[in-house]
Amino acid sequence: MRSDPGPGPLRIALTSYRSKAHCGGQGVYVRALSRALTHLGHRVEVFSGQPYPELDDGVRLTRVPSLDLYAELDPFRTPKLSEFRDFTDVLEFATMCTAGFPEPRAFSRRVARILRQRRGDFDVVHDNQSLGSALLGVKSVGLPLVGTIHHPISIDRSIDLADAPWRRQLGLRRWYGFVRMQARVARRLDHLITPSATSAADAIRDFRLTPGQMHVVPIGVDAELFRPRGARVPGRIVTVCSADVAIKGLSVLLRALAALPVDQPAHLMVVSRPAAGGDIEKLVADLGLAHRVTFVSGLDDTTLAELMASAEIASVPSLYEGFSLPAVEAMASGTALVASDTGALPEVVGRDGESGLLVAPGDAPVLSRAIARLLDDVNLRTRLGVAGRARALERFSWRATAEATVDVYRQAISDRAHGAEASTVEVPC
């Protein structure tokens, strides 16, 4: 059994099965949290599969290579025979070939092997929503294990199934097969971090967890990076989302844009790369929006912040959010925000309408009217922008996120130190 390290600096292993650097909440979470923990004096080592994160000085990255089957420029690729190293690689490829999503399980097998070998190097392991079965083996060698659930992926599954024709539903159920594993693993963890009360309640319901497992720790924002930056581009609207993921609601925003008067000065900047020939590309063409929509991707932090601050309006049209970092970044940028009244967005934005407009999720005409109202009313945009930044500064800082996260680590470490001897029985993967 590991001894309690006391109140001093902690040695933290932060694991994430994928950590896309500039677009995608997991990569932003890993980078910003590791930076803030390091600034508090702790030692953080990030273990990530592809795509790898960009980390700040002082944070060590250990790459956990996979077959990278979902590489952005070559998704669903077929690896060469020479790329297969072990049974985990075979399992990963076979799962993809049978319509499943293997990354959480395969990453967990790989990283658990490394952590068991290096169990003396860390005081706590923090898993960022991998929740693979093999991670339970980390507990069996005496390492306290904390998990983050940004939101239960069962929500995504429900929305995708509701949106899909019956012919695709069997494949989607297979794709989301890893969700059952995540629920089983989550039930075995005593300490789970989630960014909102809404996400906690949904995880308790869908994963059959208990309130005592959950710690609500809101995500922060870099308010020095995301800030007002002067003049804004007339008519510019910005959204940051995964273009082809139904839960993000981009199709709703596109239909809302198409409903605006043709002479309305409105242009949408989408921070994402849609799949070539996919549903979103086709929808843009079908709605005749090619001249009103621009897709950009691969932006660094500064360029993204500059883009957010250059817009008159930011939109989060999601059908569900467990938190929404883009919403907080827009608020910190002083950009007038219109977002869906669903999931944790009312927690983030506030229900009083002072910091942003909330509209019914999935309702393109209502969203279109809200956007038109903002485009036509500079005083409303200004008032929402000022109030949004004030709310972001008051409620969402990465230092506060890191301090609250360390409190959870210390609880997990104390529980392990004063609990039963760690089992040496290997956990099936």
Side-chain angles (χ1 to χ4, degrees), residues 153-170:
I153 305 301
S154 51
I155 303 286
D156 305 60
R157 179 180 60 192
S158 297
I159 290 173
D160 276 355
L161 286 171
D163 191 56
W166 67 268
R167 292 182 299 277
R168 288 188 56 213
Q169 290 188 9
L170 182 60

Side-chain angles (χ1 to χ4, degrees), residues 173-246:
R173 291 183 187 280
R174 171 64 180 159
W175 173 263
Y176 282 110
F178 70 94
V179 176
R180 292 189 295 273
M181 171 192 70
Q182 290 191 328
R184 288 195 302 269
V185 172
R187 289 194 290 271
R188 298 280 299 275
L189 301 187
D190 295 325
H191 297 280
L192 292 164
I193 293 170
T194 189
S196 68
T198 297
S199 186
D202 291 338
I204 289 168
R205 180 195 65 221
D206 287 9
F207 283 3
R208 292 185 286 121
L209 307 177
T210 65
Q213 294 175 267
M214 311 304 294
H215 304 265
V216 176
V217 180
I219 293 173
V221 65
D222 184 342
E224 294 182 5
L225 177 65
F226 289 92
R227 56 181 169 80
R229 295 172 179 261
R232 297 178 184 269
V233 178
R236 175 171 287 178
I237 306 163
V238 67
T239 190
V240 181
C241 67
S242 299
D244 297 292
V245 178

Side-chain angles (χ1 to χ4, degrees), residues 1 19 92 95 128 145 168 176 180 190 196 198 203 235 298 328 344 351 353 356 364 378 402-403 411 424:
M1 183 171 64
S19 310
E92 183 178 26
T95 304
N128 179 40
L145 179 60
R168 288 188 56 213
Y176 282 110
R180 292 189 295 273
D190 295 325
S196 68
T198 297
V328 179
R351 288 192 175 276
V378 63
E403 289 173 342
Q411 290 182 51
T424 58

Side-chain angles (χ1 to χ4, degrees), residues 98-386:
T98 54
F101 181 58
E103 281 191 354
R105 183 186 300 275
F107 169 77
S108 299
R109 290 172 62 97
R110 296 180 180 112
V111 78
R113 185 184 310 123
I114 297 170
L115 291 172
R116 287 197 300 268
Q117 294 169 351
R118 296 184 53 195
R119 57 185 177 271
D121 293 344
F122 301 103
D123 299 308
V124 64
V125 176
H126 180 181
D127 174 62
N128 179 40
Q129 194 138 345
S130 306
L131 296 175
S133 300
L135 280 171
L136 295 175
V138 172
K139 287 183 65 178
S140 76
V141 297
L143 275 169
L145 179 60
V146 172
T148 285
I149 299 177
H150 295 282
H151 72 265
I153 305 301
S154 51
I155 303 286
D156 305 60
R157 179 180 60 192
S158 297
I159 290 173
D160 276 355
L161 286 171
D163 191 56
W166 67 268
R167 292 182 299 277
R168 288 188 56 213
Q169 290 188 9
L170 182 60
L172 279 172
R173 291 183 187 280
R174 171 64 180 159
W175 173 263
Y176 282 110
F178 70 94
V179 176
R180 292 189 295 273
M181 171 192 70
Q182 290 191 328
R184 288 195 302 269
V185 172
R187 289 194 290 271
R188 298 280 299 275
L189 301 187
D190 295 325
H191 297 280
L192 292 164
I193 293 170
T194 189
S196 68
T198 297
S199 186
D202 291 338
I204 289 168
R205 180 195 65 221
D206 287 9
F207 283 3
R208 292 185 286 121
L209 307 177
T210 65
Q213 294 175 267
M214 311 304 294
H215 304 265
V216 176
V217 180
I219 293 173
V221 65
D222 184 342
E224 294 182 5
L225 177 65
F226 289 92
R227 56 181 169 80
R229 295 172 179 261
R232 297 178 184 269
V233 178
R236 175 171 287 178
I237 306 163
V238 67
T239 190
V240 181
C241 67
S242 299
D244 297 292
V245 178
I247 198 172
K248 296 301 180 182
L250 180 56
S251 63
V252 180
L253 179 55
L254 292 172
R255 291 187 173 92
L257 184 67
L260 293 173
V262 293
D263 59 348
Q264 184 99 50
H267 188 93
L268 176 64
M269 304 288 294
V270 183
V271 183
S272 187
R273 184 199 295 269
D279 292 343
I280 290 298
E281 273 199 355
K282 293 176 182 175
L283 184 59
V284 169
D286 291 345
L287 295 174
L289 291 176
H291 66 295
R292 274 189 148 181
V293 179
T294 300
F295 291 91
V296 294
S297 62
L299 306 184
D300 61 27
D301 293 343
T302 299
T303 305
L304 176 59
E306 289 172 347
L307 175 62
M308 186 67 76
S310 74
E312 290 190 322
I313 301 170
S315 180
V316 180
S318 304
L319 305 182
Y320 176 88
E321 287 286 351
F323 183 74
S324 183
L325 189 57
V328 179
E329 291 171 344
M331 292 161 62
S333 302
T335 303
L337 176 65
V338 56
S340 300
D341 188 3
T342 186
L345 282 165
E347 286 183 61
V348 173
V349 180
R351 288 192 175 276
D352 56 11
E354 292 298 316
S355 302
L357 301 183
L358 293 173
V359 300
D363 193 327
V366 170
L367 178 57
S368 184
R369 290 194 291 272
I371 291 172
R373 179 185 172 198
L374 287 171
L375 289 172
D376 290 339
D377 192 339
V378 63
N379 292 328
L380 177 59
R381 294 199 307 269
T382 301
R383 189 177 79 240
L384 292 176
V386 170

